[in-house]
Amino acid sequence: MTRLANIEKAGYFPLPPSVTDLIVSHVTAPHGGRMLDPCAGEGTALVTLAQQLGLEPFGVELHDERAETARQKMTDAGSKPQSLLHDSYLNLVTSRGGYNLLYLNPPYDHDEADGRLEHQWLVRCRPWLQAGGVLAWVVPQHMLRFRAATQHLLSWYERVQVYRFPDESYDQFRQIVLFGALRRRAVVADGEMAAQWALLAQGREALPPLPLLAEPAYVLPPLAVKGEAFKFRAQFIEPAEALAEARAVGASRKGAWQEHLDATRAGAELWPLMPLKIGHMHSIIAAGHLNNQVLRDETGERLLIKGRSYKVTQAQAYSEPLPDGRTRVTHLETESVVTGITSLGRDGEARSYKGGALEQFLQRWIGPLTGIVAQAYPPVYTFDLNGYGGLLNRLSKERAIPGMGGQTGLLPAQKHAAAAALTRLEREREVIIVGEMGVGKTTVGAAVAAGRSARRTIVLCPPHLVDKWQREFKAVWPGVRTMHLQTISDVDQFFAPQPDTAPRSAGSGQALVGVLKQTTARSASGWEHAYEYGGPASHSYGSKGYGEIQRRWGSSVALARDVADGGERDAEGDAGRDAARDGAGGAPGFCGRPFTARQRAALRQRGVRCPACGETQFLSGRPLSVVEMKGATRQCSNEACRSPLYQFTRRRSGASTTRAQARGSFKLYAQREREIRRYTEQGQPAPLHMRQHWYGSMVRDTFGYGKVPLSSYIKKRGKGKLDLVIVDEVHMYAYSGSCQSPIPFHADH
């Protein structure tokens, strides 16, 4: 009958208000925070606990009517309607460690696929509670006999306290309240403690009633996930909710969207760096900058014009005879962008121009068009060198220009390109210089650095251009110093303090340029797992798997811990008593037989072990498998050790076949260093045969250090000290998926 009544209520057992007030007395939240109830019901307990503790409530409820009631209660209490999701908690997308109070009153039921639902909710909701956060678990008392749940609690929670409901509320469903603070990492569950907890499930007298405390036993920590980093939403969004959210905070509310709808809110007009030419006319038309312009000529003819750009697809078919007499037909589709202008004359006739007709139209109206462009989009630079003429005329004076009769200095086009770039850098943080090969882009880049009086400049370039950049800087900028940045030591030297006795001007000799290869900028070391392995941590011992083994993991874990703590014990002492206890059912071994001393020693060596202390690693009370080990960066589960189970290793290119990148080179280098230090500490030189071995060609060629990405190191080391960054072949960094894209760089001014 109890089972049928539970099904009728759909596992819904709301918390009595009197018990809610008692729970509040056990917890305090001096820093505020968030509370999560993944089975909120009608929201009474959620709203009451959150209000009295000063927390922001978040809940999930699957039942239609209860979810609507809970949302209304939360709205009346001042919470956002979005803080209550009408969905299954399995579809909740929220921040890991985003809450400092987790209130769990799950359905009291059993599922054939998942087992006890109280246990499943406990396990699946645990990642949402932050370390140090408090769990309040409201379940039937018989759950203390469910070993999987108690082992999970003992592994993940500390300072656990268990109380039954007060007498007036206990008899109906025999519920308990369990409090616990989440550990930062799980520990090995104590099998003896789990057995003691099972005894607490025997009835009313086994547990004390939930008291009203004068001083709270648990203090909630400050939130670990704050502000915009926190998320709370459903995996699947209802269309009505998505529409309401889009209207409230969607793209239509952004300023950029409003500018397209309201011309009075449009941003700054186009301001080209240099005067636009006839060749730019197609781009101006395609961008819509000539829409609604009126053209007039000397004859008095007037036209209203509008430009547009669209894609067209051309289909072609090619036939090719095959040797067997058949014909192969290849269909080719080519997309192209067509730019056109539509004009409206005084007579009301509209005409469209594209292709050759557009070229004739541009030639016919080029005068009025260029006048409109020049008036609407005045250039920043007007080919007057903008005050940089004296500086640019002093550059590159020691190098003769080929074919110019011994003339030195920069070419006029190079001076104007450098002056235009310097003009833009007066108000913007970047400039792009585009030119064909051979026009002197490297020379212009060096001239820009000189014009900026950059004390420290870094050039990022392809590997084969490192020497060229150093030569060009020395030829263009008198007295500049250059260096190739290859290691961290080079970067430290580059950013070392320099004397300020001379001004930072062209020819002062105080400027320093560092040239960095793209490959050096992005190369890095990685990490790999570090552990010892003594065979499988899990194994099927027969056709029935673990069914043939009459032991529980807790007993095996306790046995392994006893072996580790006790060391070698004599047969007549503790080991004899352990064997007697095993035979009596305390910790049966394989197929019910007691463990022998050899099996006990083997048990200690099984599975994944810490390389520092040698302890077998456990996860939630069971041995850690290699697959689980490699799923995350873990630390030793031994509280006295806590050594990292990972180590740094050299990251190598898989396509490289050079000996310098051969696998094992870093390991060999580390081994050599250990040997050298061992002899050095003893005050002895390394033996001749060892030196010959380590300095032989096969070993020496595999030496090498794992490298730190110099781009990341420069960004941290040179903050506030870098004046200019020049990136050669910058188009290679445009695509986020390219091999060059992960290079982080910025100039401070």
Side-chain angles (χ1 to χ4, degrees):
M1 295 299 294
T2 305
R3 169 71 171 167
L4 294 177
N6 184 22
I7 295 176
E8 182 182 2
K9 294 173 66 65
Y12 173 58
F13 300 91
L15 189 70
S18 59
V19 179
T20 305
D21 296 335
L22 296 176
I23 290 178
V24 170
S25 69
H26 287 251
V27 182
T28 182
H31 309 286
R34 305 186 194 97
M35 170 185 174
L36 175 64
D37 184 356
C39 187
E42 295 182 350
T44 304
L46 173 62
V47 172
T48 303
L49 290 172
Q51 284 184 331
Q52 296 192 26
L53 294 174
L55 302 176
E56 186 178 1
F58 292 87
V60 182
E61 176 54 44
L62 182 59
H63 192 273
D64 296 345
E65 296 179 0
R66 291 197 287 265
E68 186 62 30
T69 303
R71 178 172 289 144
Q72 186 61 45
K73 289 182 179 180
M74 294 179 64
T75 303
D76 295 342
S79 300
K80 299 179 181 178
Q82 298 86 353
S83 298
L84 192 286
L85 295 183
H86 176 203
D87 206 335
S88 168
Y89 83 104
L90 297 176
N91 295 330
L92 175 61
V93 179
T94 189
S95 302
R96 292 179 64 92
Y99 307 87
N100 51 3
L101 177 60
L102 176 61
Y103 171 73
L104 281 182
N105 185 7
Y108 305 161
D109 204 352
H110 179 276
D111 184 85
E112 293 183 358
D114 294 333
R116 291 299 307 183
L117 296 184
E118 299 95 325
H119 171 242
Q120 294 302 322
W121 286 61
L122 178 67
V123 173
R124 290 172 176 169
C125 296
R126 190 264 310 161
W128 299 330
L129 182 64
Q130 72 178 71
V134 175
L135 165 72
W137 194 43
V138 180
V139 291
Q141 188 174 1
H142 65 77
M143 282 302 299
L144 295 176
R145 290 196 300 265
F146 194 72
R147 194 173 185 86
T150 56
Q151 283 193 335
H152 181 85
L153 290 167
L154 290 170
S155 296
W156 280 102
Y157 294 91
E158 58 186 354
R159 297 190 290 120
V160 177
Q161 297 181 8
V162 188
Y163 304 96
R164 64 172 174 85
F165 274 23
D167 294 338
E168 63 274 12
S169 305
Y170 174 79
D171 292 332
Q172 185 176 8
F173 301 112
R174 297 184 179 182
Q175 294 164 283
I176 65 169
V177 181
L178 182 146
F179 297 98
L182 183 66
R183 305 178 192 268
R184 188 169 297 276
R185 294 177 180 83
V187 299
V188 178
D190 191 334
E192 296 178 359
M193 182 63 69
Q196 294 179 11
W197 279 23
L199 299 177
L200 300 178
Q202 294 180 357
R204 178 195 300 265
E205 292 74 15
L207 286 173
L210 182 64
L212 180 66
L213 298 184
E215 293 292 335
Y218 298 93
V219 179
L220 300 186
L223 286 175
V225 181
K226 300 180 180 180
E228 297 181 355
F230 175 75
K231 59 184 178 182
F232 180 83
R233 60 179 176 83
Q235 183 177 1
F236 306 102
I237 303 176
E238 292 293 331
E241 296 178 357
L243 182 59
E245 185 175 353
R247 288 173 175 171
V249 295
S252 62
R253 310 294 298 177
K254 305 300 181 182
W257 179 280
Q258 296 294 332
E259 289 176 3
H260 287 284
L261 304 180
D262 186 1
T264 61
R265 300 182 57 184
E269 295 183 350
L270 176 66
W271 200 8
L273 178 59
M274 302 180 75
L276 298 178
K277 300 180 181 179
I278 298 178
H280 297 125
M281 200 63 65
H282 282 275
S283 300
I284 296 174
I285 295 171
H289 290 296
L290 288 181
N291 291 347
N292 303 322
Q293 296 289 342
V294 178
L295 303 182
R296 299 180 178 87
D297 65 359
E298 60 276 3
T299 63
E301 184 178 358
R302 298 175 61 188
L303 293 178
L304 179 66
I305 64 172
K306 176 180 176 60
R308 69 175 185 139
S309 182
Y310 57 94
K311 282 186 178 181
V312 296
T313 302
Q314 297 179 348
Q316 295 177 319
Y318 299 94
S319 299
E320 179 183 0
L322 299 177
D324 58 1
R326 295 181 300 164
T327 302
R328 176 189 296 164
V329 180
T330 303
H331 297 274
L332 179 64
E333 291 186 352
T334 305
E335 285 188 347
S336 59
V337 179
V338 177
T339 301
I341 285 182
T342 300
S343 67
L344 182 65
R346 286 183 174 181
D347 55 1
E349 182 179 0
R351 297 183 177 87
S352 296
Y353 304 92
K354 59 182 179 180
L358 177 61
E359 297 296 334
Q360 295 179 5
F361 179 86
L362 293 177
Q363 293 179 5
R364 164 73 173 79
W365 294 96
I366 191 62
L369 286 172
T370 54
I372 292 174
V373 172
Q375 182 179 1
Y377 313 114
V380 177
Y381 178 71
T382 57
F383 289 91
D384 57 357
L385 296 181
N386 196 25
Y388 293 101
L391 181 146
L392 296 175
N393 289 331
R394 297 196 301 270
L395 300 179
S396 192
K397 283 298 185 180
E398 298 181 0
R399 181 173 58 178
I401 303 176
M404 298 293 290
Q407 181 179 347
T408 61
L410 302 179
L411 293 173
Q414 295 172 344
K415 293 180 182 179
H416 285 298
L422 290 168
T423 302
R424 175 176 172 81
L425 290 176
E426 292 176 0
R427 62 183 68 193
E428 302 292 343
R429 291 177 58 87
E430 75 286 327
V431 62
I432 298 177
I433 300 175
V434 182
E436 297 181 359
M437 184 175 60
V439 299
K441 295 187 296 296
T442 307
T443 299
V444 173
V448 170
R452 294 287 296 175
S453 299
R455 193 178 192 85
R456 290 186 179 90
T457 302
I458 285 184
V459 178
L460 184 65
C461 67
H464 64 283
L465 296 179
V466 171
D467 294 338
K468 176 186 176 182
W469 272 100
Q470 296 187 76
R471 291 196 308 268
E472 286 295 323
F473 259 98
K474 292 179 180 179
V476 173
W477 195 355
V480 69
R481 295 181 296 134
T482 65
M483 62 182 300
H484 185 187
L485 302 180
Q486 303 182 75
T487 65
I488 290 178
S489 299
D490 295 336
V491 175
D492 290 337
Q493 182 181 354
F494 179 80
F495 287 110
Q498 299 186 47
D500 295 326
T501 55
R504 288 186 295 169
S505 59
S508 67
Q510 298 301 309
L512 180 60
V513 177
V515 184
L516 177 64
K517 297 187 296 187
Q518 295 169 347
T519 52
T520 305
R522 69 173 186 267
S523 62
S525 293
W527 62 269
E528 65 180 1
H529 298 89
Y531 60 96
E532 295 180 0
Y533 183 58
S538 60
H539 181 70
S540 176
Y541 288 86
S543 59
K544 298 182 181 179
Y546 287 107
E548 298 179 356
I549 306 175
Q550 301 175 7
R551 72 169 190 266
R552 297 175 177 173
W553 276 118
S555 300
S556 300
V557 171
L559 181 59
R561 186 181 63 249
D562 291 341
V563 174
D565 293 342
E568 298 296 330
R569 302 178 180 179
D570 59 313
E572 298 179 357
D574 294 338
R577 288 193 295 272
D578 289 343
R581 185 176 68 243
D582 293 346
F590 179 69
C591 295
R593 296 189 298 273
F595 285 114
T596 65
R598 184 174 180 180
Q599 288 172 334
R600 287 158 57 88
L603 178 62
R604 184 175 58 182
Q605 298 297 323
R606 290 169 53 82
V608 175
R609 300 190 304 274
C610 172
C613 68
E615 287 283 342
T616 301
Q617 300 302 299
F618 294 91
L619 178 65
S620 297
R622 55 181 174 77
L624 182 68
S625 68
V626 176
V627 175
E628 293 169 331
M629 169 71 196
K630 294 186 176 181
T633 54
R634 303 183 183 276
Q635 290 181 316
C636 178
S637 58
N638 181 11
E639 290 291 343
C641 179
R642 306 303 293 172
S643 298
L645 301 181
Y646 53 89
Q647 63 185 2
F648 288 102
T649 183
R650 184 176 183 179
R651 182 172 294 167
R652 306 173 181 84
S653 173
S656 177
T657 58
T658 61
R659 278 184 173 180
Q661 296 292 327
R663 180 168 294 278
S665 61
F666 188 79
K667 179 179 179 180
L668 290 172
Y669 174 82
Q671 184 179 353
R672 185 193 70 164
E673 289 298 311
R674 286 194 297 268
E675 294 291 339
I676 292 177
R677 291 179 182 180
R678 181 168 65 88
Y679 282 101
T680 302
E681 292 173 356
Q682 297 175 356
Q684 301 176 0
L688 178 61
H689 69 278
M690 182 174 293
R691 295 200 303 270
Q692 292 176 345
H693 171 73
W694 284 116
Y695 290 96
S697 59
M698 292 187 62
V699 178
R700 185 185 66 247
D701 293 343
T702 59
F703 288 165
Y705 290 93
K707 295 183 178 179
V708 174
L710 285 191
S711 57
S712 300
Y713 185 74
I714 290 172
K715 187 173 181 179
K716 295 179 180 180
R717 178 71 170 80
K719 189 173 184 179
K721 301 179 181 179
L722 189 59
D723 300 314
L724 186 66
V725 174
I726 299 176
V727 182
D728 197 358
E729 306 291 350
V730 70
H731 62 278
M732 298 173 60
Y733 305 85
Y735 175 49
S736 60
S738 69
C739 62
Q740 312 293 345
S741 59
I743 299 179
F745 253 136
H746 69 88
D748 298 287
H749 42 265

